Each structure stands twice: as structure tokens, then as C-alpha cells.
Amino acid sequence: MNAELAEVTATMRGRGEWEHRRFFPPGPKLALCLSGAESTLADLSETELVEVAAAARRQTAWAQARELAAIAELARRRARDEQDDHPDYRILSAHESVVEEVAAALSLTSESAATQVHLAERLHTDLPETRCALEAGQIDLPKVRAISDLTDHLPADVTATVEEAVVERASEQTTGQLRRRIRRIVQRLAPEQLERRKREAIAGRRLEVWETPDGTADLSLRDLAAADAHAIHNKITAMAHTLRQDGDVRTLDQLRADLAHQLLRGTPLPEVARAVQVEHTEPSATAAPEPTTASGPREHDTASVLADVIDARLTQVTEHARMQGRLNGLSARLQLAVRDIDEQLATVRDALCAAADHRHIGYRPPAAMRKVIEDRHPVCVFPSCNRRSNRCDLDHTTPWREQDGKGRTCPCNLAPLCRRHHRTKQTSGWALFQPWPGLLIWITPAGTWHIVHPERHLE
């Protein structure tokens, strides 16, 4: 461990901590805890209400793991029995029979049941860590499907490496963030297989239509090449903006839909829209830009250690408040704890900043600094946001004040926030801290916290 990391760790360890944030594990006991009438929720604090919602999600994951385990065992038994018989083309295979049995039992279509059986079999053969994480309530079913879908048909060693790399952090990520991380890892480990899958998907491109519950219908082009899809979207968007500037009162979404409708029906476009010529120059938005890791290994390792220590410290504050019966004021207590941590780290952080000489006098960061921050965080730093950072504001975590030098313009104090989550940060009850470059701590009004790490390739 390098000297800088040791110094930061020593500074923080003295504050007292728990090992990790604890939660009641899913299973029959948790089911009993969740079985109370809805009226009992009225007596809970906001912090406890969030905990109940999270506990219910864990319990759901556990139940889904049991469902998939039962399907996998049924499929295993039928396959074993089939080995003792001579195959007959006039009847269903063991696998097909299980699919139809699951379809009937769960009221699924045959296609959906086949997907469920395939997932169950993969969890009990190729993805054991993912299965355990689902059963423990650490990840939910959509994340399990993301891991399974993106590792399907990969070599066994690549699948194992990907699973090991992503399962631990998957609980902190949205499904979209998890998918991007898996794709980046697979791109490095098995680029040929990834390219083959892309070609196969594009070969299956199609136009689909389906009715909605509102009596309307959705029309979708599926599995286009990413560059083609974004070129089409960008061109129609440019036409829509031109019409808006010309005085059209329709919303941008309405204009895009109406322009696409006119183009497909062959209806002549307005003259101002026909004049628009747009070349596709933006990178695909189907995945966040590949981070080049602005921070070196030492900075990233320090951030990881700090994240664990901060999480433990905030857990301690929460449990102390719980024992005192003062959860309703938890958000303020957590904010004080993080401010205390921030002050402790100030000397080491300032020395790092001075050594790197990356401060900027003005309010707006120069282009090179912006690229460093966008590489470190390819998307908005709100925990569940996927908006690309090059379309976000670069927010001063500590507000910039020229008169007293507070809130400096440097990578130690900047992070991408989309406009919605920029406003969230400024809303009463919310707080955002950056105690270490790229490591951000959100505190919610209900007294929960979310730690956002700098993005990085496969560690």
C-alpha cells in the first residue's frame, strides 16, 4: 500500500466503523417481518420506510431465486430421465416439455417460459455467483438477466471472469450501468464474440408494432446498427429544432414523432425542415464513452478504501440514531458526519491538488479539465442516472465563490450532473459531497446515503 493511501486510511480508521452496512437477510423470517398490515407503516420514520422498501426488494429477489432453482431442478431431472429413453421425434424433447410445463404453471407464453428455463439453467451451471447474489437479495432479477444475456455464448473462462468482476458492484448500479460495465469488459476479453453478436443482432433487424393500453400503438425499428439509429434520430431532431425556431408550438417530442410519421408515409415535409442537412457526427449513445481513467491506480485505490470507511462510519451513525429513537433527524446527522470526514481529508486532498497543479482561476473549467472529469465519470453522478456526462453541467460540488476562493474549479471539486439532478442537489434536504476526487456521497432527505465511485475498467 502506498504512503498516501496509508496516510488517508490511518486518518479515517480512528473514527470508529462497522464492517459493512448490515441488513436483515431475505427468507422466511424477513417475510414474517414484512407481513404486517399497511397501517403499521404509518408509525415508521422515513428512514425506516426506505428500509422496508429495500427489504421487500430483497425478499422478492430471494423468492425469484427459489422459483428459478425449482425450474432448474425440474429441467435437470427431465434431462436425466431422457438419457435412459430412446428419443422419439413425434414427441417433445425433455427440454421442450419442461418449457411447456413452466408456461402452463406460470401463465407464460412458450417464448417467455423458454427464456425463464434458459436463465434458470445458466444460473445453476455457468453463473453460480450471480445465483447466490440473487438468493441473498443483493441484486434483483433484471440485473441477473443483464449478466446472463451479455455473457451468453461466451467462452466459460470469459464468463467466469466477467461474473467475478461485476457481481460485487452490481447492487450499487442500475441495470443500464451494469450493462455498460459488462460490455466494456467483454470488449476487452472477447472482442470477436461481441462483434459476432452485434452482426447477428443487426441481421435480425425488424419493424415492430404493438398496441398500448391507452388505445394507441407503438412503432419501433429494432436492432439497427447503433450509428444508423443515432444518425436518424439526430437528423429528425435537427429538423424538429428548426421548426421550433420557425415558430411551431408543438413540443420537441411531438415534432419528432410527426416528422417520422411524415417521412414514413411519404408526406411532403415543411420547406424549413427539408432544408435541414445534418451529418451524424456524435458517438453512439447506446453506451457511455469508454473511460480512459483520468485518475491513476493510486487515486482510485484510495477512493475505494475511503468509500468503505465512509460507508462504515455512516452505518455507525445510523445505528446510533436508531438506538436513540432519533431516525427522523438522521439526514442532518449524516451530513455532519460527512462534513467531518471532508475536513479530516482536506490537508491530504489539498496537497494532492497542489502537486497536480490542476486548479483553474475562473468559474468555467477549460476543455482539457472537462475531458478529465468526463473520462472519470462518463455519466451523470446521480446513482441511477445514465445521461452522458458530455451533455451534463460540470457542477462545483462546493459552490464556487470568487470573493473568498471557496469551491475551486478543479477535478477535486467538479462532477457531471444532468440538469434534473443538478436541481436535485440544490433541493432542501439533499446534500452532495466530494471528499476525494471522483468519490461522491449523496445524502437523501430520508436519511439514506449513496456512494458514487469513479468509473474504471476491469479491476
Side-chain angles (χ1 to χ4, degrees), residues 369-385:
M369 184 181 294
R370 182 174 187 108
K371 184 177 187 307
V372 166
I373 296 161
E374 290 174 354
D375 286 344
R376 186 173 69 193
H377 288 290
V379 296
C380 169
V381 295
F382 190 80
S384 59
C385 187

PDB file of all heavy atoms in Angstrom, residues 369-385:
ATOM      1  N   MET A 369      -9.660  20.121 -18.775  1.00  0.00           N
ATOM      2  CA  MET A 369     -10.147  19.706 -17.458  1.00  0.00           C
ATOM      3  C   MET A 369     -11.499  19.020 -17.573  1.00  0.00           C
ATOM      4  O   MET A 369     -11.769  18.017 -16.901  1.00  0.00           O
ATOM      5  CB  MET A 369     -10.250  20.910 -16.527  1.00  0.00           C
ATOM      6  CG  MET A 369     -10.659  20.542 -15.104  1.00  0.00           C
ATOM      7  SD  MET A 369     -10.801  21.989 -14.016  1.00  0.00           S
ATOM      8  CE  MET A 369      -9.092  22.521 -13.951  1.00  0.00           C
ATOM      9  N   ARG A 370     -12.339  19.557 -18.442  1.00  0.00           N
ATOM     10  CA  ARG A 370     -13.648  18.923 -18.634  1.00  0.00           C
ATOM     11  C   ARG A 370     -13.489  17.493 -19.125  1.00  0.00           C
ATOM     12  O   ARG A 370     -14.188  16.590 -18.663  1.00  0.00           O
ATOM     13  CB  ARG A 370     -14.476  19.734 -19.629  1.00  0.00           C
ATOM     14  CG  ARG A 370     -15.861  19.136 -19.805  1.00  0.00           C
ATOM     15  CD  ARG A 370     -16.790  19.965 -20.664  1.00  0.00           C
ATOM     16  NE  ARG A 370     -18.107  19.356 -20.612  1.00  0.00           N
ATOM     17  CZ  ARG A 370     -19.152  19.850 -19.977  1.00  0.00           C
ATOM     18  NH1 ARG A 370     -19.045  21.002 -19.340  1.00  0.00           N
ATOM     19  NH2 ARG A 370     -20.310  19.221 -19.966  1.00  0.00           N
ATOM     20  N   LYS A 371     -12.551  17.245 -20.028  1.00  0.00           N
ATOM     21  CA  LYS A 371     -12.347  15.892 -20.530  1.00  0.00           C
ATOM     22  C   LYS A 371     -11.883  14.953 -19.420  1.00  0.00           C
ATOM     23  O   LYS A 371     -12.307  13.797 -19.346  1.00  0.00           O
ATOM     24  CB  LYS A 371     -11.338  15.886 -21.679  1.00  0.00           C
ATOM     25  CG  LYS A 371     -11.165  14.506 -22.316  1.00  0.00           C
ATOM     26  CD  LYS A 371     -10.229  14.532 -23.485  1.00  0.00           C
ATOM     27  CE  LYS A 371     -10.217  13.185 -24.198  1.00  0.00           C
ATOM     28  NZ  LYS A 371      -9.946  12.051 -23.282  1.00  0.00           N
ATOM     29  N   VAL A 372     -11.007  15.452 -18.548  1.00  0.00           N
ATOM     30  CA  VAL A 372     -10.547  14.636 -17.418  1.00  0.00           C
ATOM     31  C   VAL A 372     -11.729  14.186 -16.569  1.00  0.00           C
ATOM     32  O   VAL A 372     -11.850  13.011 -16.190  1.00  0.00           O
ATOM     33  CB  VAL A 372      -9.541  15.437 -16.557  1.00  0.00           C
ATOM     34  CG1 VAL A 372      -9.313  14.756 -15.209  1.00  0.00           C
ATOM     35  CG2 VAL A 372      -8.214  15.574 -17.289  1.00  0.00           C
ATOM     36  N   ILE A 373     -12.650  15.106 -16.288  1.00  0.00           N
ATOM     37  CA  ILE A 373     -13.791  14.791 -15.427  1.00  0.00           C
ATOM     38  C   ILE A 373     -14.780  13.884 -16.144  1.00  0.00           C
ATOM     39  O   ILE A 373     -15.345  12.959 -15.549  1.00  0.00           O
ATOM     40  CB  ILE A 373     -14.446  16.096 -14.958  1.00  0.00           C
ATOM     41  CG1 ILE A 373     -13.448  16.877 -14.085  1.00  0.00           C
ATOM     42  CG2 ILE A 373     -15.724  15.828 -14.182  1.00  0.00           C
ATOM     43  CD1 ILE A 373     -13.761  18.325 -13.945  1.00  0.00           C
ATOM     44  N   GLU A 374     -15.007  14.118 -17.441  1.00  0.00           N
ATOM     45  CA  GLU A 374     -15.915  13.263 -18.198  1.00  0.00           C
ATOM     46  C   GLU A 374     -15.354  11.850 -18.352  1.00  0.00           C
ATOM     47  O   GLU A 374     -16.108  10.874 -18.375  1.00  0.00           O
ATOM     48  CB  GLU A 374     -16.193  13.877 -19.570  1.00  0.00           C
ATOM     49  CG  GLU A 374     -17.046  15.148 -19.494  1.00  0.00           C
ATOM     50  CD  GLU A 374     -17.186  15.831 -20.840  1.00  0.00           C
ATOM     51  OE1 GLU A 374     -16.531  15.375 -21.811  1.00  0.00           O
ATOM     52  OE2 GLU A 374     -17.927  16.824 -20.918  1.00  0.00           O
ATOM     53  N   ASP A 375     -14.034  11.721 -18.459  1.00  0.00           N
ATOM     54  CA  ASP A 375     -13.426  10.395 -18.511  1.00  0.00           C
ATOM     55  C   ASP A 375     -13.585   9.674 -17.172  1.00  0.00           C
ATOM     56  O   ASP A 375     -13.797   8.460 -17.129  1.00  0.00           O
ATOM     57  CB  ASP A 375     -11.934  10.504 -18.853  1.00  0.00           C
ATOM     58  CG  ASP A 375     -11.697  10.840 -20.314  1.00  0.00           C
ATOM     59  OD1 ASP A 375     -12.640  10.688 -21.114  1.00  0.00           O
ATOM     60  OD2 ASP A 375     -10.580  11.256 -20.659  1.00  0.00           O
ATOM     61  N   ARG A 376     -13.471  10.423 -16.100  1.00  0.00           N
ATOM     62  CA  ARG A 376     -13.600   9.828 -14.770  1.00  0.00           C
ATOM     63  C   ARG A 376     -15.043   9.400 -14.482  1.00  0.00           C
ATOM     64  O   ARG A 376     -15.294   8.375 -13.833  1.00  0.00           O
ATOM     65  CB  ARG A 376     -13.145  10.848 -13.718  1.00  0.00           C
ATOM     66  CG  ARG A 376     -13.091  10.301 -12.301  1.00  0.00           C
ATOM     67  CD  ARG A 376     -12.473  11.324 -11.367  1.00  0.00           C
ATOM     68  NE  ARG A 376     -13.336  12.486 -11.166  1.00  0.00           N
ATOM     69  CZ  ARG A 376     -12.947  13.614 -10.602  1.00  0.00           C
ATOM     70  NH1 ARG A 376     -11.687  13.748 -10.194  1.00  0.00           N
ATOM     71  NH2 ARG A 376     -13.778  14.617 -10.446  1.00  0.00           N
ATOM     72  N   HIS A 377     -15.995  10.187 -14.963  1.00  0.00           N
ATOM     73  CA  HIS A 377     -17.416   9.878 -14.784  1.00  0.00           C
ATOM     74  C   HIS A 377     -18.108  10.013 -16.145  1.00  0.00           C
ATOM     75  O   HIS A 377     -18.530  11.103 -16.514  1.00  0.00           O
ATOM     76  CB  HIS A 377     -18.052  10.830 -13.774  1.00  0.00           C
ATOM     77  CG  HIS A 377     -17.637  10.599 -12.365  1.00  0.00           C
ATOM     78  ND1 HIS A 377     -18.015   9.491 -11.640  1.00  0.00           N
ATOM     79  CD2 HIS A 377     -16.848  11.330 -11.532  1.00  0.00           C
ATOM     80  CE1 HIS A 377     -17.495   9.547 -10.433  1.00  0.00           C
ATOM     81  NE2 HIS A 377     -16.776  10.644 -10.344  1.00  0.00           N
ATOM     82  N   PRO A 378     -18.252   8.937 -16.899  1.00  0.00           N
ATOM     83  CA  PRO A 378     -18.862   9.026 -18.233  1.00  0.00           C
ATOM     84  C   PRO A 378     -20.335   9.412 -18.228  1.00  0.00           C
ATOM     85  O   PRO A 378     -20.867   9.798 -19.263  1.00  0.00           O
ATOM     86  CB  PRO A 378     -18.682   7.611 -18.794  1.00  0.00           C
ATOM     87  CG  PRO A 378     -17.588   7.003 -17.987  1.00  0.00           C
ATOM     88  CD  PRO A 378     -17.726   7.591 -16.633  1.00  0.00           C
ATOM     89  N   VAL A 379     -21.004   9.296 -17.068  1.00  0.00           N
ATOM     90  CA  VAL A 379     -22.413   9.677 -16.977  1.00  0.00           C
ATOM     91  C   VAL A 379     -22.615  10.542 -15.746  1.00  0.00           C
ATOM     92  O   VAL A 379     -21.742  10.654 -14.887  1.00  0.00           O
ATOM     93  CB  VAL A 379     -23.339   8.435 -16.906  1.00  0.00           C
ATOM     94  CG1 VAL A 379     -23.258   7.627 -18.177  1.00  0.00           C
ATOM     95  CG2 VAL A 379     -23.007   7.567 -15.691  1.00  0.00           C
ATOM     96  N   CYS A 380     -23.788  11.160 -15.664  1.00  0.00           N
ATOM     97  CA  CYS A 380     -24.181  11.958 -14.501  1.00  0.00           C
ATOM     98  C   CYS A 380     -23.915  11.166 -13.220  1.00  0.00           C
ATOM     99  O   CYS A 380     -24.132   9.952 -13.170  1.00  0.00           O
ATOM    100  CB  CYS A 380     -25.659  12.304 -14.622  1.00  0.00           C
ATOM    101  SG  CYS A 380     -26.411  13.020 -13.135  1.00  0.00           S
ATOM    102  N   VAL A 381     -23.454  11.856 -12.174  1.00  0.00           N
ATOM    103  CA  VAL A 381     -23.054  11.152 -10.954  1.00  0.00           C
ATOM    104  C   VAL A 381     -24.209  10.883  -9.992  1.00  0.00           C
ATOM    105  O   VAL A 381     -23.977  10.396  -8.880  1.00  0.00           O
ATOM    106  CB  VAL A 381     -21.937  11.921 -10.207  1.00  0.00           C
ATOM    107  CG1 VAL A 381     -20.670  11.968 -11.033  1.00  0.00           C
ATOM    108  CG2 VAL A 381     -22.395  13.333  -9.824  1.00  0.00           C
ATOM    109  N   PHE A 382     -25.454  11.183 -10.369  1.00  0.00           N
ATOM    110  CA  PHE A 382     -26.568  10.706  -9.560  1.00  0.00           C
ATOM    111  C   PHE A 382     -26.611   9.191  -9.693  1.00  0.00           C
ATOM    112  O   PHE A 382     -26.436   8.650 -10.792  1.00  0.00           O
ATOM    113  CB  PHE A 382     -27.890  11.318 -10.011  1.00  0.00           C
ATOM    114  CG  PHE A 382     -29.021  11.045  -9.063  1.00  0.00           C
ATOM    115  CD1 PHE A 382     -29.162  11.794  -7.913  1.00  0.00           C
ATOM    116  CD2 PHE A 382     -29.919  10.030  -9.316  1.00  0.00           C
ATOM    117  CE1 PHE A 382     -30.196  11.539  -7.021  1.00  0.00           C
ATOM    118  CE2 PHE A 382     -30.964   9.763  -8.434  1.00  0.00           C
ATOM    119  CZ  PHE A 382     -31.104  10.520  -7.278  1.00  0.00           C
ATOM    120  N   PRO A 383     -26.829   8.446  -8.594  1.00  0.00           N
ATOM    121  CA  PRO A 383     -26.632   6.997  -8.617  1.00  0.00           C
ATOM    122  C   PRO A 383     -27.367   6.237  -9.722  1.00  0.00           C
ATOM    123  O   PRO A 383     -26.851   5.251 -10.231  1.00  0.00           O
ATOM    124  CB  PRO A 383     -27.132   6.555  -7.226  1.00  0.00           C
ATOM    125  CG  PRO A 383     -26.942   7.756  -6.362  1.00  0.00           C
ATOM    126  CD  PRO A 383     -27.179   8.937  -7.243  1.00  0.00           C
ATOM    127  N   SER A 384     -28.559   6.689 -10.098  1.00  0.00           N
ATOM    128  CA  SER A 384     -29.341   5.921 -11.069  1.00  0.00           C
ATOM    129  C   SER A 384     -29.475   6.610 -12.420  1.00  0.00           C
ATOM    130  O   SER A 384     -30.299   6.205 -13.245  1.00  0.00           O
ATOM    131  CB  SER A 384     -30.747   5.653 -10.506  1.00  0.00           C
ATOM    132  OG  SER A 384     -31.405   6.875 -10.227  1.00  0.00           O
ATOM    133  N   CYS A 385     -28.669   7.638 -12.682  1.00  0.00           N
ATOM    134  CA  CYS A 385     -28.798   8.397 -13.929  1.00  0.00           C
ATOM    135  C   CYS A 385     -27.834   7.871 -14.992  1.00  0.00           C
ATOM    136  O   CYS A 385     -26.688   7.528 -14.686  1.00  0.00           O
ATOM    137  CB  CYS A 385     -28.542   9.881 -13.681  1.00  0.00           C
ATOM    138  SG  CYS A 385     -28.875  10.915 -15.130  1.00  0.00           S
TER     139      CYS A 385
END
